[in-house]
Amino acid sequence: MLEKLIQMIEGNAERMAEELKGMLLGNPETSSYQVLADITLYKDIFGIYSHLGYWLLRDVEKAEVRTYYSETGRKLSAMGFPLHEVVQAQAATKRHIWDSISDAGIMRTAKDLDSAVDLITFLNRFFDMATYYVTLGYCEALGLQGESGSETWNAPEVSTR
Amino acid sequence: MLTKKIVKLIEDNASELAKEIQGKLLQHPSTHSYQNIDERMLYDWIYDVCSRFSYWLDEDKEKGEVQKHYRNLGKERFSQNFMLPEVISALYITKRQLWEFIAAGREVESALNLNQIVETSVLLVRFFDHAVLHVTEGYEDMFRENYGYVASLENREQLAQAIAAKRKRQEGTYEESKLPTLCFTKGMIRLG
């Protein structure tokens, strides 16, 4: 069932990426995203949605999350994005995924809900890391890096059924 | 509200949870600087979140008190020489411990119980998303005050210029191609 929930997002990646793109471009709290080329913003979102299973379940070491999001943080810092808007966009993406699943009305039985609990665990694990590394990359680009700044996040293993 | 029971459970176990979270923060490599602050203060901060969980999750507080509290926390941690990723990591570790506590109470056969857990998770995630956002804003305030740093796109004029430049680029991309057009003349095709 967890896979089914993930496939629902991957299968609707195009429509959902357009939707989130519109939300980010229309929200005054993420107005800096208006400077990105529409196609770039779309592709970035689509890349997450269309491979959600990979990002959540198969990138076990989370090495790619670290590389991708640190680089994203550095890039957006260089482009002059305010950090709180970047953090806001990460949270909006996570919320959009969860709202899409929640609104689809597919969580009716105890089994469905049990899988939803697993999905919440994996989603948060991924987006927590993404936000941590995007912030780390952003601060590195500004020349702000502390003692533990280069540490791998080493998230504890998640316990699911 | 479905979540009441779970929230109460967290508040009832606040002391134990606060100790566990404190231990994690002191050991985790991504929250190294927390070893430098007074343990009692750290414990009190975590205990405050856990013991008044229902207070913090209240939606009405989001715009005002949560914003003020965490923006100030961001400023305070900056003054204590904490790096922002450390502070964010500490918030996520706290959230994760609370989530593990909540999810541990899941009864696989009970849709009601699982519904309560899912509903609580939405509140928990929303609260910590706000906390992380406002801590970041507090840090940005300090970047501005101490280094005079303001992200260029925060400036309305520069943002407008960058958006205009992007539109110009995109218009260029969508310009009609200059390829020769096809003309049909008495059944023949010739290039126009």
Side-chain angles (χ1 to χ4, degrees):
Chain A
M1 180 63 190
L2 174 65
E3 281 76 15
K4 199 176 133 192
L5 295 176
I6 291 171
Q7 278 163 14
M8 198 205 98
I9 302 297
E10 291 181 341
N12 290 289
E14 280 183 33
R15 178 185 57 76
M16 284 181 61
E18 279 295 344
E19 215 170 77
L20 182 66
K21 187 186 86 176
M23 286 159 73
L24 294 178
L25 294 177
N27 185 352
E29 288 172 357
T30 50
S31 53
S32 298
Y33 283 81
Q34 292 176 40
V35 308
L36 291 177
D38 288 5
I39 189 71
T40 307
L41 181 56
Y42 171 83
K43 278 183 178 171
D44 283 351
I45 304 168
F46 182 76
I48 302 299
Y49 287 175
S50 61
H51 294 90
L52 192 68
Y54 176 80
W55 286 107
L56 296 195
L57 307 174
R58 285 188 285 280
D59 180 18
V60 184
E61 299 297 323
K62 300 293 169 208
E64 286 185 56
V65 178
R66 181 188 170 105
T67 310
Y68 178 79
Y69 283 98
S70 301
E71 185 51 38
T72 301
R74 279 191 285 272
K75 195 175 79 186
L76 296 181
S77 175
M79 290 176 76
F81 277 59
L83 183 52
H84 70 270
E85 290 196 21
V86 180
V87 167
Q88 181 97 310
Q90 292 292 326
T93 309
K94 176 178 61 183
R95 202 175 314 128
H96 184 235
I97 293 174
W98 175 250
D99 286 348
S100 301
I101 285 172
S102 188
D103 294 346
I106 51 173
M107 293 181 296
R108 294 189 192 94
T109 66
K111 207 176 165 191
D112 298 338
L113 287 160
D114 195 48
S115 299
V117 174
D118 286 341
L119 181 69
I120 291 165
T121 306
F122 283 111
L123 257 187
N124 278 285
R125 183 183 188 223
F126 170 71
F127 279 99
D128 288 358
M129 284 192 186
T131 306
Y132 173 79
Y133 284 122
V134 92
T135 309
L136 192 63
Y138 190 102
C139 290
E140 278 172 359
L142 291 182
L144 303 164
Q145 191 185 347
E147 266 179 83
S148 56
S150 58
E151 289 293 346
T152 303
W153 205 48
N154 282 333
E157 277 310 301
V158 282
S159 48
T160 56
R161 287 172 204 277
Chain B
M1 206 156 144
L2 285 173
T3 56
K4 260 188 182 169
K5 199 174 132 190
I6 297 174
V7 170
K8 188 175 180 315
L9 204 62
I10 288 174
E11 291 180 346
D12 290 348
N13 288 279
S15 176
E16 196 186 319
L17 278 163
K19 274 182 210 147
E20 270 176 36
I21 295 166
Q22 185 190 27
K24 293 263 178 192
L25 296 187
L26 293 175
Q27 283 168 14
H28 205 280
S30 69
T31 50
H32 196 260
S33 297
Y34 282 82
Q35 291 171 15
N36 302 332
I37 59 170
D38 183 75
E39 283 196 25
R40 185 72 216 179
M41 275 174 67
L42 179 60
Y43 173 85
D44 287 345
W45 169 72
I46 306 165
Y47 181 77
D48 180 65
V49 175
C50 300
S51 63
R52 297 194 301 148
F53 201 48
S54 54
Y55 174 86
W56 287 115
L57 293 190
D58 187 342
E59 210 168 344
D60 295 338
K61 306 239 166 26
E62 269 175 15
K63 292 260 152 38
E65 282 170 68
V66 173
Q67 180 174 19
K68 195 175 162 196
H69 182 85
Y70 282 95
R71 205 164 180 145
N72 284 338
L73 184 72
K75 290 178 185 178
E76 191 186 326
R77 293 288 183 256
F78 178 92
S79 306
Q80 291 168 324
N81 291 321
F82 281 59
M83 299 310 295
L84 179 59
E86 284 187 286
V87 186
I88 290 179
S89 183
L91 287 166
Y92 286 150
I93 288 169
T94 306
K95 178 180 73 171
R96 175 162 300 168
Q97 283 300 113
L98 290 173
W99 172 239
E100 288 199 348
F101 179 79
I102 293 165
R106 78 209 252 197
E107 296 158 20
V108 199
E109 303 300 323
S110 165
L112 177 67
N113 163 274
L114 290 163
N115 247 320
Q116 288 175 338
I117 289 174
V118 169
E119 202 174 285
T120 313
S121 84
V122 173
L123 297 176
L124 179 82
V125 170
R126 194 183 62 197
F127 168 71
F128 278 96
D129 281 351
H130 279 104
V132 167
L133 174 68
H134 300 313
V135 148
T136 304
E137 287 170 342
Y139 252 82
E140 286 177 314
D141 290 345
M142 296 307 269
F143 287 165
R144 197 174 296 122
E145 269 179 43
N146 288 270
Y147 308 130
Y149 174 78
V150 182
S152 61
L153 296 177
E154 203 145 9
N155 178 305
R156 293 287 120 190
E157 260 179 45
Q158 289 193 37
L159 176 66
Q161 280 170 11
I163 293 170
K166 168 206 154 178
R167 286 199 182 125
K168 211 169 173 186
R169 278 197 307 273
Q170 291 201 156
E171 275 165 20
T173 312
Y174 297 133
E175 255 179 31
E176 278 195 36
S177 64
K178 302 286 186 235
L179 287 172
T181 50
L182 290 175
C183 298
F184 293 87
T185 314
K186 292 182 182 175
M188 292 174 69
I189 300 175
R190 66 176 172 83
L191 296 177

